[in-house]
Amino acid sequence: IGITTIVISVSIVCLFLVYNSSKTKLLDNRLKSGNREVREIGKLLETQLKSGLTEEKVIDNLQQSIVNMDVGVGFICMYDTLGVELCHPNPAFIGKKIYEGDSYVRNLENKNTMSFLEILKSGKMDNGIRNFSTITDRDSEIINVYPVVGTNWMVASHVNIPALQNDLSGLYYKLIVIFLISTLLIIFSSYFLMRILYKKYEFVIDKELNELNEEVSLLNALNHQLVESQNKVQTQNQNTFDSETAKERIVTYQKDQVVSIK
């Protein structure tokens, strides 16, 4: 019971530590991959502009490459610094404007919070967790933005956090299974090891107990003999006393005669 309690307690603590560490690592990897993705797309757009393509053609090329992309997990889009949507997997979103109170982004490094529109207006590379207002009724997401040099464009990558939570849930259940199996193995192996060690110890104890039992039996025999001896002595003394008290006369000498005295 003691070993089981200790192993289970340690396993639960380790499970949460590993899960939280994996969760943080996964979020960090998503941010880094998002930064890398928007930077590569931004550099590609800059190259197209430098090659002589018009802004309209570059925007159209990006739109054609992302159209009908699955937005359930993650997707790429592009805004201008005024908050107008220039490219989106769903063409219905093109031309829509981001407003001040629509959503806020919390930076994971410095913990600062800014509206998404402020980040777009700054024209600087940024990332964080984007939370939407209750009016828009949209799920939180990981956002990365990258400015395209020479334009007012901001390429953005979006990763849906509920979709990420599904991955984390799968990871959590896998960790539970792994820790459960390892915990049971530790408990049963410890139990059998203790049984093996205890059998050796039990053999030594049984041997000592047998020796003690022999000594106790010897002491009991000696005590019995001593009691019998004491009883015999008491019986002899009693008989001697009874025989002496039973005499009524004694014979003795008085001068040259033998006389009897009561």
Side-chain angles (χ1 to χ4, degrees):
I1 292 173
I3 290 178
T4 302
T5 303
I6 293 172
V7 171
I8 291 176
S9 301
V10 172
S11 297
I12 290 174
V13 173
C14 291
L15 173 63
F16 281 105
L17 289 176
V18 172
Y19 175 72
N20 289 330
S21 176
S22 301
K23 181 179 178 181
T24 303
K25 190 68 175 178
L26 181 60
L27 288 173
D28 186 58
N29 288 338
R30 288 289 187 175
L31 283 171
K32 289 180 179 178
S33 63
N35 281 334
R36 184 170 57 253
E37 188 176 17
V38 293
R39 186 184 295 108
E40 290 174 354
I41 293 176
K43 294 295 183 183
L44 178 61
L45 297 180
E46 292 171 12
T47 302
Q48 291 181 1
L49 289 172
K50 290 178 181 179
S51 67
L53 294 179
T54 62
E55 291 187 356
E56 291 77 11
K57 182 60 178 176
V58 174
I59 292 174
D60 183 65
N61 289 341
L62 178 60
Q63 178 61 31
Q64 292 302 319
S65 65
I66 65 173
V67 68
N68 296 326
M69 182 186 292
D70 183 17
V71 298
V73 179
F75 61 95
I76 294 291
C77 66
M78 189 166 70
Y79 305 88
D80 62 17
T81 53
L82 297 177
V84 178
E85 194 106 34
L86 300 178
C87 297
H88 194 279
N90 185 356
F93 283 86
I94 297 176
K96 288 190 175 182
K97 181 176 174 57
I98 303 297
Y99 293 99
E100 188 73 28
D102 288 346
S103 59
Y104 294 89
V105 178
R106 179 173 59 87
N107 192 290
L108 295 180
E109 294 180 358
N110 53 31
K111 306 301 181 182
N112 291 336
T113 301
M114 297 175 60
S115 69
F116 185 49
L117 182 60
E118 286 183 87
I119 292 176
L120 294 176
K121 287 181 177 179
S122 69
K124 297 179 181 179
M125 185 176 179
D126 206 342
N127 59 54
I129 304 297
R130 185 184 181 190
N131 295 305
F132 295 88
S133 64
T134 55
I135 301 175
T136 56
D137 192 26
R138 289 177 59 181
D139 295 322
S140 300
E141 60 186 21
I142 299 173
I143 187 77
N144 292 272
V145 293
Y146 180 84
V148 180
V149 177
T151 68
N152 64 342
W153 302 343
M154 299 288 284
V155 181
S157 71
H158 304 260
V159 177
N160 198 355
I161 289 183
L164 191 62
Q165 290 290 349
N166 291 333
D167 295 339
L168 289 172
S169 297
L171 174 64
Y172 182 71
Y173 291 129
K174 288 180 182 178
L175 287 174
I176 287 179
V177 172
I178 292 172
F179 275 96
L180 180 62
I181 293 174
S182 61
T183 299
L184 292 176
L185 286 175
I186 292 173
I187 291 173
F188 283 113
S189 60
S190 299
Y191 173 76
F192 287 115
L193 180 61
M194 288 174 62
R195 291 298 303 167
I196 292 172
L197 294 175
Y198 182 72
K199 282 183 179 179
K200 294 182 178 180
Y201 176 74
E202 195 175 35
F203 174 77
V204 174
I205 293 298
D206 288 341
K207 184 179 179 180
E208 293 179 355
L209 286 175
N210 291 332
E211 293 176 353
L212 288 174
N213 288 331
E214 291 177 358
E215 293 178 358
V216 169
S217 298
L218 180 60
L219 287 174
N220 287 333
L222 291 174
N223 287 332
H224 182 69
Q225 292 178 359
L226 180 61
V227 170
E228 287 183 350
S229 298
Q230 289 177 345
N231 289 335
K232 286 181 180 180
V233 171
Q234 288 179 355
T235 302
Q236 290 176 356
N237 291 337
Q238 183 67 34
N239 292 335
T240 301
F241 177 76
D242 290 343
S243 62
E244 290 179 351
T245 54
K247 291 180 179 181
E248 294 181 356
R249 307 179 71 85
I250 60 173
V251 177
T252 186
Y253 291 94
Q254 183 178 13
K255 294 183 179 182
D256 57 351
Q257 293 181 356
V258 176
V259 293
S260 175
I261 303 172
K262 287 187 180 181

